[in-house]
Amino acid sequence: MKRRIQCIDCHDSGYLIDRTSEFCVASACACKAHCPLCDGRGFLYEKQDGYEVVRECQCRIRPRQLQLFNEARIPARCDGTFDDFKARSQKMELAKITAIATAHEYRREHPSRGFVISGPVGTGKTHLLCATIHWLTLEAGFSARYVEISFLYSEIRNGFSRGQSVLDALQPLISPDVLAIDELGRGRCSEFELETIDELIARRYNTRKTTIFATNYLLTKKASAGGYRDPAQAQASHCLIDRIGERSWSRLNEMCHLIELPQETSDYRLNKARF
Ligand SMILES: Nc1ncnc2c1ncn2[C@@H]1O[C@H](COP(=O)(O)OP(=O)(O)OP(=O)(O)O)[C@@H](O)[C@H]1O
Ligand SMILES: [Mg+2]
Ligand SMILES: [Zn+2]
Ligand SMILES: [Zn+2]
């Protein structure tokens, strides 16, 4: 039997998400102001092997999880969760299962392999990245960050005028337990962009940190034999390897499960607008 929802504001999740500014901002719902589990003490007594032990109550952990979610910088328009992702093909089901497993099985002492989801426009790639970050921070209490690659490039360029180096700008993306990089391969494929992505992926790889990616570019084909050196040629390619270079591509293959959604997967945004 379905449990009756007690709080119509938060549906008993205990938090509310405000999407009126650039990023999602979570806050505690008033219904959880007084914790019925510990009666506001912040700890609980638990039996363990015949002994009574003191355990921190989840109401004490909650503020930290809310903070982690808010620090992840999930764009306000990304309100998707695993529950509302509809898999309309086997590959989409695989993408969903992989994202859920990455989130649910994540352990800091044994970081899980990340994933790369490639697919056409509007197929739920950002939705799955954000749902993964949402779960990891709010439900599991791990640190995470979301970044769209073209925003990162412009943030770094803006930082130059303040005397900030590339490494200064990348630092906040190296430390989180899990990093989501969206729109991988997008841009002008310039030397600056290639070096930036190389540096970021190499740092995540060297520290064995879980990283998840979404891209519109193909994972399967390769247009050039030895990888393009010329940015104009790389920019004309639809293959991720040509756009990010062989160094990053090689690391990506070791760090991640690669999932390519079929090119005929329909655009969810257009479908929503039509019906
Ligand atoms: N399979 C799905 N189930 C439920 N909602 C979906 C699904 N796919 C996409 N959506 C919704 O459609 C919108 C667009 O999805 P999203 O931004 O994740 O697409 P995308 O693949 O990242 O597209 P792009 O390549 O343009 O970045 C979002 O509101 C998202 O929640
Ligand atoms: Mg997207
Ligand atoms: Zn509530
Ligand atoms: Zn409590």
Side-chain angles (χ1 to χ4, degrees), residues 136-230:
L136 281 162
T137 51
L138 261 183
E139 304 300 331
F142 292 110
S143 61
R145 260 297 294 269
Y146 167 94
V147 69
E148 206 179 294
I149 205 70
S150 23
F151 281 105
L152 176 65
Y153 296 147
S154 56
E155 235 177 54
I156 295 175
R157 283 202 190 90
N158 292 341
F160 288 154
S161 56
R162 298 190 302 273
Q164 213 184 25
S165 71
V166 173
L167 267 185
D168 292 335
L170 293 184
Q171 202 54 49
L173 306 179
I174 294 161
S175 46
D177 293 319
V178 178
L179 174 68
I181 304 181
D182 205 354
E183 312 274 10
L184 183 65
R186 199 166 159 197
R188 282 175 288 182
C189 306
S190 64
E191 206 170 309
F192 158 73
E193 292 178 358
L194 211 66
E195 276 171 19
T196 302
I197 198 68
D198 248 16
E199 187 70 40
L200 180 54
I201 292 179
R203 297 254 166 179
R204 299 286 307 176
Y205 173 83
N206 292 343
T207 48
R208 301 172 63 86
K209 293 264 176 80
T210 301
T211 312
I212 59 180
F213 302 86
T215 181
N216 285 122
Y217 297 100
L218 299 173
L219 304 178
T220 41
K221 286 189 225 134
K222 185 177 182 224
S224 74
Y228 287 124
R229 298 283 172 273
D230 175 17

Side-chain angles (χ1 to χ4, degrees), residues 77 125-127 146 182-183 214 216 269:
R77 69 184 147 74
K125 304 180 299 294
T126 301
H127 183 128
Y146 167 94
D182 205 354
E183 312 274 10
N216 285 122
R269 292 190 195 101

Side-chain angles (χ1 to χ4, degrees), residues 35 37-39 41-44 55-62:
C35 177
L37 294 174
C38 66
D39 202 20
R41 289 190 303 268
F43 57 87
L44 299 161
R55 181 174 65 80
E56 201 175 23
C57 181
Q58 49 176 262
C59 67
R60 277 284 171 89
I61 303 165
R62 214 45 173 159

Side-chain angles (χ1 to χ4, degrees), residues 16-199:
L16 302 169
I17 298 180
D18 177 38
R19 300 176 197 279
T20 51
S21 42
E22 191 179 355
F23 304 112
C24 294
V25 180
S27 58
C29 182
C31 71
K32 295 281 191 282
H34 181 82
C35 177
L37 294 174
C38 66
D39 202 20
R41 289 190 303 268
F43 57 87
L44 299 161
Y45 293 105
E46 223 175 45
K47 279 265 187 236
Q48 223 174 63
D49 302 328
Y51 293 99
E52 199 162 64
V53 292
V54 179
R55 181 174 65 80
E56 201 175 23
C57 181
Q58 49 176 262
C59 67
R60 277 284 171 89
I61 303 165
R62 214 45 173 159
R64 173 85 190 118
Q65 291 174 332
L66 292 171
Q67 190 190 343
L68 288 167
F69 177 84
N70 295 340
E71 287 169 356
R73 298 214 199 178
I74 298 175
R77 69 184 147 74
C78 299
D79 52 359
T81 61
F82 291 135
D83 285 343
D84 43 50
F85 184 87
K86 315 257 181 319
R88 289 165 292 149
S89 67
Q90 274 188 346
K91 274 289 167 70
M92 283 179 110
E93 185 64 37
L94 177 67
K96 182 176 177 173
I97 290 171
T98 307
I100 292 176
T102 304
H104 289 198
E105 289 163 22
Y106 182 82
R107 300 287 173 273
R108 195 173 283 137
E109 59 279 10
H110 185 67
S112 36
R113 210 165 170 192
F115 58 82
V116 182
I117 302 179
S118 151
V121 168
T123 50
K125 304 180 299 294
T126 301
H127 183 128
L128 284 177
L129 288 190
C130 293
T132 308
I133 298 295
H134 182 139
W135 203 94
L136 281 162
T137 51
L138 261 183
E139 304 300 331
F142 292 110
S143 61
R145 260 297 294 269
Y146 167 94
V147 69
E148 206 179 294
I149 205 70
S150 23
F151 281 105
L152 176 65
Y153 296 147
S154 56
E155 235 177 54
I156 295 175
R157 283 202 190 90
N158 292 341
F160 288 154
S161 56
R162 298 190 302 273
Q164 213 184 25
S165 71
V166 173
L167 267 185
D168 292 335
L170 293 184
Q171 202 54 49
L173 306 179
I174 294 161
S175 46
D177 293 319
V178 178
L179 174 68
I181 304 181
D182 205 354
E183 312 274 10
L184 183 65
R186 199 166 159 197
R188 282 175 288 182
C189 306
S190 64
E191 206 170 309
F192 158 73
E193 292 178 358
L194 211 66
E195 276 171 19
T196 302
I197 198 68
D198 248 16
E199 187 70 40

